[in-house]
Amino acid sequence: AAPMIVAGRSLTMGQGLRHDFVTVMDIAPTFLELAVVRYPGKLGTNATRPMLGESMVPYLQGKSAGIHDSTYVAGLWAGGNVSFRRGRWKLVNTERPYREDRLRLYDVVGDPGETIDLSAARPATYRAILEAWRQYLKANDIKLQEPTN
């Protein structure tokens, strides 16, 4: 987790420390809503991919209890490292090369430091989040290379 500071005249939420989940993918939809502009459906002749984030404006104006509901998913991957979150659950792989069997399960609400791998203790949750990860990869046309032996 990393801190984020937000301020502005139209943001009426009030001061205070919050622990709600937000991702960098939420910044562009927020800026577009504040600027009162729409995300383009096409650029030139190519259709653009939909944005994966959500606008933070309703939350920052105190009109919603959170930015994301418990079904929202967010995935990040870089150089063999993977992070995938749905609600309080997060899959993480930091070993290289990436292999799906190395994904560990964390409860980021109960264990924000991600110190206890719950993959074995919560097998049903692990399988459900793993299936959501697979669906996320497919829906976003992401192909991660696993090593071939």
Side-chain angles (χ1 to χ4, degrees), residues 1-148:
M4 178 175 172
I5 299 171
V6 179
R9 281 180 277 184
S10 65
L11 309 179
T12 58
M13 179 184 220
Q15 295 181 353
L17 178 64
R18 310 284 191 279
H19 296 280
D20 298 292
F21 175 61
V22 64
T23 171
V24 296
M25 293 181 286
D26 300 323
I27 294 172
T30 302
F31 287 173
L32 290 173
E33 184 172 342
L34 290 171
V36 193
V37 295
R38 296 186 56 193
Y39 182 69
K42 290 187 177 224
L43 293 174
T45 59
N46 297 322
T48 57
R49 290 185 176 265
M51 286 191 285
L52 300 176
E54 304 284 338
S55 173
M56 296 180 279
V57 171
Y59 176 74
L60 296 171
Q61 290 178 338
K63 296 177 182 174
S64 69
I67 299 163
H68 304 289
D69 65 20
S70 63
T71 64
Y72 179 80
V73 296
L76 300 170
W77 54 95
N81 297 324
V82 168
S83 169
F84 178 74
R85 181 168 171 172
R86 185 177 78 181
R88 70 185 301 143
W89 303 106
K90 184 176 179 184
L91 289 177
V92 175
N93 175 71
T94 55
E95 297 178 50
R96 294 182 188 182
Y98 167 80
R99 286 195 345 228
E100 187 177 88
D101 64 338
R102 291 181 178 163
L103 290 167
R104 295 178 308 277
L105 178 70
Y106 296 102
D107 174 358
V108 296
V109 174
D111 177 22
E114 300 172 18
T115 61
I116 302 168
D117 178 6
L118 297 172
S119 303
R122 307 276 315 235
T125 302
Y126 180 77
R127 285 191 303 273
I129 303 302
L130 183 58
E131 183 56 31
W133 165 242
R134 291 172 179 156
Q135 290 173 8
Y136 180 85
L137 292 174
K138 186 175 183 176
N140 293 288
D141 198 27
I142 299 165
K143 294 174 179 51
L144 298 175
Q145 293 289 340
E146 290 201 40
T148 56

